[in-house]
Amino acid sequence: MADVLALVEARLRTGLGEPDARAAVTFLGTDRFEVLRFTDGDVVRYATLGMSAQPMADPTAALADPVKGPRAELVLSVREGRADTDKVLRPLAVLAASPQVEGLIVAPGASLDVGEPLWPGAPFTSVLVAESGGLVEDLDLDAPMEPVRFLPLLPMTPNEAAWKRVHGAAALRERWLNSGTDLRDPLRKSVPLD
């Protein structure tokens, strides 16, 4: 486990540079989760570290496989200085713990909801999980372990989350694209959904 996390942290540093802050959160009955903060110009990126220590298990399986199964970490990018986004550390750790706590498999296209604003004054309580392979390349591990995927999180307003449940993730991404939505704006309004 420690070896996997060391490799994951090295891959994060390769893709995002040196972290300028880190915080650790431990939930009762789970492993320790860290959130690292990376600053790149006017963009701040928050990346989880610890979610990939164990593979995500199928919640219907009688026994969780300790080696096989998808592994991931989460990456959130926001513009700096418009909101107190450093308060997102605990909600991100909650999302990273969800596979262990709730038996979820976090995959692209999924919605994750923390039930409260991601940071003070945020118009978002949930995120859309995007495809990996952009900012940070997937990390191959020795077989039979699956690669660690670094999944970007795209904040969604409650209206966008409800619309996505009906129309799907691809349709919401298309709306954002067609509207020229700045998904890194920590205070952005909902995209027009009529």
Side-chain angles (χ1 to χ4, degrees):
M1 175 179 93
D3 291 346
V4 168
L5 293 184
L7 293 170
V8 167
E9 184 168 354
R11 178 57 55 95
L12 283 168
R13 287 172 187 266
T14 299
L16 304 176
E18 286 299 310
D20 58 12
R22 64 192 308 145
V25 179
T26 304
F27 302 102
L28 188 62
T30 68
D31 294 330
R32 171 186 161 127
F33 296 91
E34 290 189 84
V35 179
L36 283 60
R37 184 182 73 189
F38 302 85
T39 304
D40 180 16
D42 72 336
V43 174
V44 180
R45 302 185 201 289
Y46 301 93
T48 63
L49 179 62
M51 184 176 169
S52 61
Q54 298 177 27
M56 292 180 268
D58 180 347
T60 61
L63 228 58
D65 190 312
V67 178
K68 293 181 185 173
R71 293 175 190 256
E73 296 291 352
L74 308 174
V75 181
L76 173 70
S77 300
V78 292
R79 296 215 180 280
E80 187 175 36
R82 299 208 54 216
D84 187 8
T85 56
D86 280 349
K87 297 283 198 276
V88 77
L89 302 179
R90 184 167 179 75
L92 271 181
V94 167
L95 295 177
S98 61
Q100 280 188 35
V101 174
E102 299 174 34
L104 294 179
I105 293 183
V106 177
S111 300
L112 303 174
D113 196 315
V114 294
E116 61 185 35
L118 292 175
W119 51 82
F124 321 105
T125 62
S126 62
V127 293
L128 175 64
V129 181
E131 294 285 340
S132 66
L135 281 173
V136 182
E137 288 183 36
D138 294 348
L139 172 65
D140 290 326
L141 300 174
D142 294 337
M145 292 188 285
E146 291 185 29
V148 176
R149 305 196 185 287
F150 298 89
L151 301 171
L153 300 180
L154 309 174
M156 292 188 292
T157 66
N159 285 346
E160 290 169 339
W163 197 86
K164 181 251 174 198
R165 279 192 293 277
V166 174
H167 300 281
L172 179 58
R173 284 194 304 269
E174 188 175 320
R175 283 282 169 132
W176 283 336
L177 187 62
N178 292 340
S179 296
T181 306
D182 180 3
L183 295 173
R184 294 178 181 168
D185 182 349
L187 298 174
R188 74 172 178 84
K189 304 286 186 232
S190 182
V191 71
L193 298 169
D194 49 347

